[in-house]
Amino acid sequence: MNTQNQTTQERRDSAPQGSNDILAARNVTKRFGPHLVLDNVSLSIERGKTTVVIGPSGCGKTVLIKHLIVLLRPTSGEVYFNDSRIDNLSEQDLNEVRTRFGFLFQGGALFDSLSVFENIVFPIRQHNRVKDWSHVEDIVKSKLAMVGLDGFQNYYPANLSGGQRKRVALARAIALNPEVLLYDEPTTGLDPIRSDVINELVLKLQRELGVTTVVVTHDMTSAYKIADRIIMLHNGKIVADGDADHIRNHPHPVVQQFINGQVGEDDLAILRMTGTASQTQFLPRDFEA
Amino acid sequence: MFEVLGARAIDDIGNIGQFGRFCWQTTAACLRGCWNHKTYPLVWAQMHIIGVRSVPVIMITGAFVGMTLAVQAYDQLKAMGFEERLGVLINISVVKELGPVLAAVMLAGRVGGALTAELGTMNVTEQIDAVRSIGTDPIWYLVAPRVMACLLLTPFLIIYADLLGILGGFFVGVKQLGINNWAYWSFSASGVELWDVVVGIIKGLFFGGAIAVISCYKGFTCKEGAQGVGQACTEAFVSSFISILVLDFVLAVMFKAIYNTFWPFRSLVG
Ligand SMILES: Nc1ncnc2c1ncn2[C@@H]1O[C@H](COP(=O)(O)OP(=O)(O)OP(=O)(O)O)[C@@H](O)[C@H]1O
Ligand SMILES: [Mg+2]
């Protein structure tokens, strides 16, 4: 009896999530050389929910979300998908896992030698997801329509605007109808109306297909609208974690400054010190750096 | 001082290890790719870019090598009364050394630079990560087709270079300098063996593989930014060039040993 209890306990340790968590990071630390970017971050993502990660620029949001699909490997710590560890798999095995994810890169990362149509077909073709190739055009059309870009099939990424590229990348991320969608700043660079369309799209995918979504964003309007849960990252650590109201009323000053878009006292002090533009002298060594 | 040297040595060894791994993964991906029908169109597209579009520059390279050799060697040979042997001198140099090496150098510049720049740009714009995020092996999708195309086509490009080198030498030697046509060719035929041609072409396989693998590796490990891509291209060209020369030497030694075990010494002047 005792031993049985122990094994259950051990199993719970090795698979830290209940069956309701689809993704989990456990004590993930990431260093680039001496630079500590993620400091012992643990979080689990609930199946079918939308989790939003917010935080100031450079705090490690992109690094964190890349760990969830093991595009980056943790310096220490573990990543779990469906209760099995994935951060130690070979690239070969990971490819299998990754077909169940959609990932939107912050910069879009469209293949610039391929047209919009080919970009979206790429994942479908790689994994032979359609039986009947005559349907492919319809699939691409519907994915593009979702992001409001039907008719752009034959454009090349170079001929699209920044926001349009982002939306094509989003269409590519959802091409395989993945179980988990990871978006790195989906609404950055879009006008407010287009942003809201993307928000609605995120909600729709979650509602209708039960997709689990993780969104990295700076856009608090969007965060409040789509989030079941908001996580704030600061200096490589999670400083707040909860639903929208929890975040709105969070006592931590860093959180309040961030969500209200206020400059902190430290930053203000620096601005005062550097003086006005007319006083500022640009020395040659400023340009070297 | 020692620390700096030590750190650099560790870096270099690390890089060699990384490069070795890359080579191994590429080989595995190429072998796997042979059985995967999805690879063929990729290889085909690369063959067009790498091979077909290189033909003109390769032909120009070959022709000028042949012509220049004829101009340079003629006076000396004529002074010794050996001018009719100009053909053998030109043709053996072109077929054994200059054709393969110069064609490979040309390819390192034309193709290697383009490969590194393309893959390097893909790397810094996260397109390689995008391939990974979609669940496709970037080495299979991006590197293997380029390496296979280079491996398959460099020997053919070398044949072109050889051919044009021979024609260039013939043009200057026979048409311009007035060497007897029949003597020119009969001395050539007695001096140049099939072996020489084949060795030159086999070298092409190695050169092509080295250029492609090095260029792709430099692209994959390229640093951020426009400067990073530029630097990677330069490094790729320099490394390809050096490995072409080193491989050329090593292969020359090896093939000579093989030749000597099967055939007796053969004099070109006798
Ligand atoms: N490949 C890398 N090599 C070295 N350092 C890196 C690398 N990637 C990220 N970093 C560092 O990690 C830190 C966090 O980067 P990250 O891209 O995650 O920021 P972010 O939170 O996504 O910011 P933003 O909101 O501006 O996109 C940065 O300070 C960056 O310098
Ligand atoms: Mg980011």
Side-chain angles (χ1 to χ4, degrees):
Chain A
M1 188 66 198
N2 198 11
T3 44
Q4 208 174 0
N5 266 346
Q6 239 170 14
T7 41
T8 333
Q9 184 63 43
E10 270 168 24
R11 201 172 306 136
R12 210 168 279 145
D13 277 353
S14 64
Q17 329 83 332
S19 60
N20 225 13
D21 291 338
I22 190 162
L23 265 174
R26 213 183 181 208
N27 303 336
V28 167
T29 296
K30 180 68 180 178
R31 291 172 188 279
F32 290 103
H35 184 176
L36 179 65
V37 177
L38 294 182
D39 185 3
N40 214 8
V41 171
S42 295
L43 95 158
S44 41
I45 310 283
E46 220 179 315
R47 191 184 305 274
K49 292 284 163 62
T50 301
T51 307
V52 173
V53 180
I54 58 174
S57 181
C59 70
K61 303 183 297 296
T62 300
V63 171
L64 175 66
I65 200 173
K66 280 186 178 173
H67 274 88
L68 297 180
I69 174 176
V70 203
L71 283 173
L72 291 171
R73 296 197 190 240
T75 311
S76 69
E78 294 125 41
V79 181
Y80 292 87
F81 174 63
N82 274 336
D83 294 354
S84 54
R85 195 171 163 189
I86 55 171
D87 65 282
N88 57 357
L89 295 181
S90 68
E91 283 288 316
Q92 214 87 79
D93 296 333
L94 274 173
N95 284 338
E96 202 55 45
V97 178
R98 286 181 184 140
T99 59
R100 301 167 69 178
F101 284 81
F103 192 96
L104 171 67
F105 284 81
Q106 188 168 358
L110 290 179
F111 305 125
D112 47 24
S113 58
L114 303 181
S115 69
V116 167
F117 179 83
E118 290 163 327
N119 261 286
I120 297 169
V121 168
F122 182 87
I124 301 174
R125 178 170 296 149
Q126 290 308 313
H127 303 294
N128 287 329
R129 279 301 174 82
V130 278
K131 291 276 175 306
D132 186 354
W133 279 98
S134 57
H135 290 165
V136 151
E137 292 200 8
D138 296 336
I139 296 176
V140 172
K141 199 176 161 69
S142 76
K143 301 286 175 200
L144 277 176
M146 282 186 191
V147 295
L149 282 176
D150 185 22
F152 284 80
Q153 274 88 335
N154 294 325
Y155 278 62
Y156 278 83
N159 304 331
L160 297 175
S161 77
Q164 287 172 329
R165 264 178 240 166
K166 193 93 176 222
R167 287 187 278 152
V168 173
L170 202 121
R172 183 180 67 185
I174 59 179
L176 288 178
N177 299 327
E179 291 164 54
V180 185
L181 273 165
L182 309 175
Y183 301 111
D184 197 348
E185 307 203 359
T187 54
T188 309
L190 302 186
D191 60 80
I193 296 173
R194 202 46 83 183
S195 303
D196 207 43
V197 172
I198 299 297
N199 291 338
E200 291 295 341
L201 175 66
V202 171
L203 288 171
K204 178 183 148 91
L205 289 173
Q206 185 214 8
R207 247 189 340 253
E208 292 175 8
L209 304 172
V211 177
T212 308
T213 315
V214 180
V215 181
V216 164
T217 189
H218 294 288
D219 176 357
M220 288 314 295
T221 326
S222 154
Y224 287 142
K225 178 156 189 182
I226 58 180
D228 292 310
R229 174 185 173 200
I230 299 178
I231 290 172
M232 172 146 177
L233 208 60
H234 184 71
N235 284 341
K237 284 201 170 78
I238 293 175
V239 291
D241 181 353
D243 60 14
D245 283 332
H246 176 83
I247 296 292
R248 271 199 202 95
N249 304 320
H250 203 280
H252 202 306
V254 168
V255 178
Q256 286 305 322
Q257 276 166 19
F258 185 83
I259 61 177
N260 298 321
Q262 285 166 345
V263 188
E265 252 324 296
D266 304 352
D267 292 325
L268 274 180
I270 292 171
L271 285 180
R272 283 197 204 99
M273 251 164 55
T274 42
T276 60
S278 58
Q279 291 167 332
T280 312
Q281 295 222 330
F282 286 101
L283 299 170
R285 75 191 146 83
D286 287 327
F287 291 101
E288 271 174 29
Chain B
M1 177 68 192
F2 282 113
E3 275 169 34
V4 174
L5 278 181
R8 189 168 294 171
I10 288 171
D11 255 20
D12 285 349
I13 291 170
N15 286 342
I16 292 172
Q18 206 185 350
F19 180 65
R21 238 178 74 120
F22 185 83
C23 290
W24 164 245
Q25 288 172 335
T26 304
T27 316
C30 286
L31 292 178
R32 254 184 294 124
C34 291
W35 313 120
N36 185 346
H37 66 91
K38 277 193 217 150
T39 321
Y40 306 145
L42 300 175
V43 178
W44 190 248
Q46 290 304 321
M47 281 171 107
H48 183 73
I49 296 168
I50 291 170
V52 179
R53 301 227 196 122
S54 298
V55 169
V57 282
I58 292 289
M59 288 179 31
I60 291 172
T61 313
F64 275 95
V65 168
M67 281 159 43
T68 312
L69 273 179
V71 172
Q72 297 275 19
Y74 178 73
D75 288 346
Q76 290 297 324
L77 288 176
K78 190 176 166 67
M80 294 186 284
F82 278 162
E83 71 267 27
E84 291 187 334
R85 292 173 197 269
L86 184 66
V88 83
L89 184 111
I90 293 173
N91 291 339
I92 205 139
S93 323
V94 165
V95 160
K96 266 181 110 164
E97 281 301 327
L98 292 173
V101 170
L102 287 177
V105 171
M106 195 71 215
L107 276 181
R110 210 203 82 89
V111 174
L115 288 187
T116 311
E118 188 186 1
L119 295 183
T121 310
M122 288 186 80
N123 188 14
V124 300
T125 55
E126 295 186 306
Q127 291 177 53
I128 295 182
D129 275 346
V131 173
R132 289 169 68 209
S133 80
I134 284 165
T136 298
D137 177 8
I139 303 227
W140 166 77
Y141 179 69
L142 294 170
V143 179
R146 287 167 172 80
V147 171
M148 283 158 97
C150 265
L151 267 180
L152 291 174
L153 288 184
T154 314
F156 286 99
L157 290 171
I158 284 177
I159 294 177
Y160 274 106
D162 287 354
L163 211 63
L164 264 286
I166 291 167
L167 283 180
F170 165 76
F171 176 74
V172 172
V174 176
K175 297 286 173 203
Q176 304 284 306
L177 301 171
I179 297 171
N180 180 284
N181 191 5
W182 181 82
Y184 184 91
W185 287 117
S186 69
F187 274 117
S188 296
S190 65
V192 183
E193 291 182 354
L194 185 60
W195 170 260
D196 300 319
V197 181
V198 170
V199 166
I201 292 170
I202 292 177
K203 279 180 181 173
L205 270 178
F206 287 87
F207 294 162
I211 293 170
V213 174
I214 291 172
S215 306
C216 290
Y217 173 74
K218 289 290 180 192
F220 262 56
T221 53
C222 145
K223 294 201 194 72
E224 294 282 306
Q227 207 181 4
V229 177
Q231 195 187 343
C233 287
T234 313
E235 285 175 14
F237 180 71
V238 172
S239 313
S240 304
F241 194 3
I242 290 175
S243 23
I244 288 167
L245 296 179
V246 171
L247 272 175
D248 189 44
F249 176 74
V250 172
L251 291 171
V253 171
M254 269 172 43
F255 281 118
K256 193 167 124 80
I258 296 174
Y259 186 88
N260 287 350
T261 49
F262 291 108
W263 292 280
F265 172 75
R266 145 178 71 109
S267 164
L268 294 178
V269 215

